[in-house]
């Protein structure tokens, strides 16, 4: 028979592992967002320097930001259901 204390520790251990995995994935989302922001800033700097406006590139990076943001929202929804 499993003691109550052992069961509680197992539950906490399981929750800790799930939380650590989610935390890692959310940090990946933020890294992706941060990377895209850096790229947009670089493109913006080049546009200022060259006087050219590359809307296709900016739209691509903005789409990537939206995807990363939605990924983070979905991760949190799944975690909250858990």
């Amino acid at each position: 028979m499993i003691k109550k204390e052992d069961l509680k520790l197992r539950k906490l251990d399981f929750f800790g592992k799930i939380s650590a995995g989610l935390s890692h994935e959310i940090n990946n989302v933020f890294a992706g967002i941060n990377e895209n922001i850096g790229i947009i800033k670089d493109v913006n700097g080049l546009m200022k320097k060259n006087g050219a406006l590359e809307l296709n590139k900016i739209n691509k990076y903005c789409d990537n930001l939206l995807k990363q943001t939605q990924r983070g929202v979905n991760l949190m929804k799944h975690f909250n259901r858990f």
Side-chain angles (χ1 to χ4, degrees):
M1 183 164 172
I2 299 175
K3 295 179 183 178
K4 273 188 172 182
E5 294 82 24
D6 291 339
L7 187 59
K8 285 180 183 179
L9 287 175
R10 286 183 184 179
K11 287 179 181 179
L12 284 174
D13 184 54
F14 175 75
F15 185 75
K17 288 177 182 176
I18 295 296
S19 297
L22 178 65
S23 175
H24 176 80
E25 288 302 316
I26 289 174
N27 280 326
N28 286 343
V29 169
F30 289 134
I33 291 169
N34 193 40
E35 181 179 319
N36 280 283
I37 289 169
I39 292 169
I40 290 170
K41 288 178 109 179
D42 291 344
V43 169
N44 187 42
L46 288 172
M47 288 185 317
K48 285 181 182 177
K49 183 178 177 182
N50 298 329
L53 185 62
E54 298 188 42
L55 291 177
N56 289 337
K57 283 187 178 182
I58 292 174
N59 284 331
K60 176 185 160 192
Y61 299 129
C62 288
D63 288 343
N64 288 340
L65 287 169
L66 289 171
K67 285 178 190 175
Q68 288 293 331
T69 303
Q70 189 58 47
R71 185 172 168 239
V73 168
N74 287 335
L75 283 168
M76 289 310 299
K77 282 182 184 178
H78 289 294
F79 184 68
N80 287 335
R81 284 186 206 142
F82 170 72

